[in-house]
Amino acid sequence: MPSFKVKVKWGKEMFPDVEVNTEEDPLLFKAQLFALTGVQPNRQKVMVKGMTLKDTEWGNMPLKDGVMVLLMGSKEEDVPSEPAVKPVFMEDMNESELASAMDLPAGLTNLGNTCYLNATVQCLKTVPELRDGLQTFEASVGGGSFVPSQSITVALRDLYSAMDRGASFSPVVLLQVLRLAFPRFAEKGAGGVYIQQDANECWTELVRMLQQKLPAKAVEGAVKAPKSLIEQYFGGQFDVEYKCVEAADEPPTRTEEDFLQLSCFISQDVRYMLSGLRSKLQEQITKNSPSLGRDAVYTKTSKISRLPAYLTVQFVRFYYKERESVNAKILKDVKFPMEFDAVELCTTELQEKLAPMRDRFKQLEDKKVEEQLTLKDKKGGDTKVKTTKEPYWLENDLGSNNSGYYTLQAVLTHRGRSSSSGHYVGWVRQNDNTWLMCDDDKVTPVSSEDILKLSGGGDWHCAYVLLYGPRILELPEGTVLKAPERTAEKMETETASTPQE
């Protein structure tokens, strides 16, 4: 009988009916103890009748129902900090230390079909405001009760801290609390092996848990105070209009909808991301008509009334095949831009608010062209010009986007034919033209050209989730820009004349 319910004693605390499954790795049991006590697995000493549990095997541990398991170890915050690390020379470094010295982020160990989690963690790590929010999150786990949102937030915070120290790291604690919170991620297939999971479902659940625990940054004079940091930096809003197709005299109804992701639907006609986004923003639905007294066809038109700083776009690549009972994949090639302009998807009111910053971007680009022409025949050095970064958010709305301009900063891809098989990889931007391919514990530099090849069309990695960050306006010292004179109508004209497709 590989599964038992035991008693765990830690100091003065007692935890009854803790499940132990000896068919799983002992580290998963230690991760479960972390969720209960807050003691990191590397600080745990687990004993049963004088025998100590190893990380790699159960050995001859005398486990049975009701047996007493003794846990020794302190929470990290209860242990004095280590002394400063001594300098290490490059010739004395191992492979992981060299990766850290070369500014390559840590990889994540695949614990058996867990690439969906590893890719998601690497992509979300590119958001500095999320990292700051996690670092200042002071809660811990323990106390005997399992709170999914708190345990996942603490586990992700601790995982990012460990990854910052370099080297490949095992996300065993985050994986265990994710499976405890959402049992579907613990599903097993033939032979008792954990099955592959949908990375976008993992992304959605992680963000939803963080949304419950990370508080928003305070803003004086905010028109609408966000409830969480996730809503503040990842959350957008639609203005939605419903117009009855079958009753022309029925007045349209209007409402608002919140979103954390935009969906890019892929049909036979869709060749570019913007087209797929447009198809979702105007669609036919069926709902009850008060004037007709029955269900009728409506046109649902959505326009974005708030753009978040970080825009998540999911490519809807999977659909359910009843005959094979599998989420089959659409391999179609759909191009996505490195620089995305979302203004076309916005309401007229929001376009008016975006106009001033868009005008500043245009003025700066014009100045750069003029300076290049003026200095063409002059000899110049390589002295770097100091720049000032302007805020990317609207006044009194921290975490929004004030221009509609975005820069691609992370891509989550899938290689395979169904969401429950294949392999997921995270691709993250390191600087302007250098990206990093985060394939579990292997992190490799790649170019922007390699990223653009992820648009699909074959059995190579296909973009599944894209993460766009705000395009930052950097003004060289002494640069003065004119006050904006543009209107939303003029902006729409310019956008139409230079389509992203």
Side-chain angles (χ1 to χ4, degrees):
M1 182 178 178
S3 183
F4 309 96
K5 287 190 175 181
V6 301
K7 301 174 184 177
V8 176
K9 181 174 174 57
W10 176 58
K12 296 180 180 180
E13 296 191 51
M14 180 74 72
F15 304 99
D17 297 329
V18 178
E19 188 171 338
V20 182
N21 189 343
T22 55
E23 288 187 343
E24 297 178 341
D25 195 283
L27 268 177
L28 292 178
F29 176 59
K30 289 191 172 186
Q32 188 176 348
L33 295 180
F34 165 78
L36 292 172
T37 65
V39 180
Q40 291 281 358
N42 62 333
R43 296 185 182 278
Q44 295 178 13
K45 185 176 182 180
V46 181
M47 300 183 68
V48 180
K49 294 184 178 180
M51 293 187 65
T52 303
L53 177 64
K54 298 179 181 180
D55 288 343
T56 55
E57 60 180 0
W58 292 97
N60 296 318
M61 294 293 289
L63 291 171
K64 62 180 181 179
D65 286 333
V67 75
M68 181 71 71
V69 176
L70 180 64
L71 170 64
M72 292 182 285
S74 302
K75 294 184 182 181
E76 194 163 7
E77 57 262 33
D78 298 332
V79 180
S81 58
E82 296 182 3
V85 180
K86 296 180 180 179
V88 180
F89 296 101
M90 291 193 70
E91 55 267 26
D92 299 324
M93 294 181 180
N94 58 34
E95 187 174 325
S96 62
E97 290 170 334
L98 279 171
S100 178
M102 296 172 65
D103 199 26
L104 293 180
L108 293 170
T109 307
N110 192 317
L111 300 173
N113 284 331
T114 59
C115 55
Y116 68 92
L117 175 64
N118 293 346
T120 299
V121 167
Q122 292 284 15
C123 290
L124 289 175
K125 191 172 181 283
T126 64
V127 180
E129 292 84 357
L130 176 60
R131 297 291 315 281
D132 292 343
L134 285 168
Q135 286 176 359
T136 56
F137 185 69
E138 297 180 349
S140 60
V141 297
S145 61
F146 176 68
V147 182
S149 57
Q150 182 151 316
S151 296
I152 286 175
T153 303
V154 169
L156 187 60
R157 177 198 67 191
D158 294 346
L159 177 58
Y160 281 159
S161 296
M163 292 171 69
D164 285 341
R165 295 193 286 270
S168 179
F169 197 80
S170 172
V172 61
V173 174
L174 178 61
L175 177 64
Q176 184 68 358
V177 295
L178 180 70
R179 287 173 173 170
L180 287 173
F182 306 103
R184 71 176 180 275
F185 291 112
E187 291 177 357
K188 294 181 180 179
V193 178
Y194 286 107
I195 64 174
Q196 181 67 279
Q197 299 291 334
D198 189 311
N200 187 59
E201 289 184 11
C202 176
W203 182 304
T204 301
E205 296 295 7
L206 283 182
V207 169
R208 190 167 63 87
M209 293 294 98
L210 297 174
Q211 185 178 11
Q212 294 179 27
K213 284 297 172 182
L214 295 181
K217 294 183 179 179
V219 183
E220 291 186 9
V223 177
K224 180 183 178 183
K227 297 177 182 178
S228 72
L229 184 133
I230 295 298
E231 180 184 324
Q232 193 169 37
Y233 286 93
F234 290 81
Q237 192 172 69
F238 287 124
D239 279 356
V240 183
E241 179 185 271
Y242 295 92
K243 178 62 179 173
C244 185
V245 176
E246 302 177 43
D249 297 335
E250 182 178 308
T253 57
R254 293 177 174 84
T255 185
E256 294 179 346
E257 292 181 4
D258 296 326
F259 68 86
L260 292 174
Q261 278 189 351
L262 293 182
S263 297
C264 175
F265 280 83
I266 302 175
S267 64
Q268 186 174 357
D269 299 327
V270 172
R271 296 173 54 204
Y272 300 93
M273 184 182 82
L274 185 60
S275 301
L277 293 175
R278 279 203 213 103
S279 66
K280 174 62 178 175
L281 297 185
Q282 185 161 8
E283 55 185 338
Q284 300 286 317
I285 66 166
T286 301
K287 73 183 194 77
N288 184 265
S289 168
S291 64
L292 298 176
R294 59 174 175 81
D295 286 347
V297 177
Y298 281 76
T299 299
K300 178 184 177 183
T301 305
S302 303
K303 287 285 188 178
I304 298 174
S305 56
R306 185 198 190 252
L307 282 171
Y310 295 92
L311 188 66
T312 306
V313 179
Q314 181 217 359
F315 279 39
V316 186
R317 287 198 174 274
F318 297 107
Y319 66 98
Y320 188 71
K321 270 190 174 180
E322 290 189 13
R323 182 176 296 180
E324 292 86 355
S325 298
V326 67
N327 281 327
K329 184 176 177 182
I330 302 172
L331 298 172
K332 182 177 173 63
D333 184 357
V334 179
K335 304 296 184 186
F336 56 86
M338 300 294 270
E339 303 288 336
F340 177 56
D341 185 0
V343 70
E344 180 184 331
L345 308 177
C346 300
T347 63
T348 303
E349 292 79 6
L350 181 55
Q351 289 179 357
E352 291 281 1
K353 294 178 182 178
L354 303 179
M357 182 55 72
R358 294 173 67 87
D359 187 80
R360 294 178 71 79
F361 271 107
K362 186 176 185 305
Q363 287 188 56
L364 182 60
E365 290 171 1
D366 291 343
K367 277 183 174 291
K368 287 180 178 178
V369 172
E370 291 175 7
E371 289 173 359
Q372 288 175 355
L373 293 173
T374 304
L375 300 175
K376 187 175 180 180
D377 298 326
K378 294 183 179 180
K379 294 181 179 180
D382 295 330
T383 305
K384 291 186 178 180
V385 178
K386 291 183 179 180
T387 60
T388 303
K389 293 183 179 180
E390 294 207 348
Y392 58 77
W393 57 89
L394 292 167
E395 187 178 1
N396 298 328
D397 190 5
L398 181 65
S400 64
N401 182 305
N402 63 2
S403 67
Y405 293 133
Y406 288 93
T407 300
L408 186 65
Q409 67 181 48
V411 182
L412 190 154
T413 61
H414 177 265
R415 184 178 186 179
R417 292 300 179 110
S418 74
S419 61
S420 58
S421 64
H423 186 59
Y424 292 98
V425 172
W427 312 69
V428 301
R429 185 189 292 269
Q430 188 179 37
N431 54 46
D432 288 345
N433 193 47
T434 303
W435 285 68
L436 299 172
M437 176 184 177
C438 301
D439 186 355
D440 290 328
D441 56 349
K442 297 177 182 177
V443 180
T444 310
V446 295
S447 68
S448 297
E449 288 72 22
D450 294 316
I451 301 303
L452 292 174
K453 294 175 183 177
L454 304 174
S455 57
D459 285 329
W460 182 237
H461 294 279
C462 295
Y464 184 32
V465 182
L466 306 182
L467 182 60
Y468 284 92
R471 183 178 167 190
I472 309 295
L473 181 65
E474 297 189 44
L475 286 180
E477 257 186 6
T479 301
V480 179
L481 301 180
K482 298 177 182 178
E485 299 177 353
R486 302 168 68 208
T487 63
E489 289 77 10
K490 181 179 178 182
M491 184 166 55
E492 284 183 332
T493 303
E494 292 178 359
T495 305
S497 64
T498 55
Q500 297 180 73
E501 300 180 2

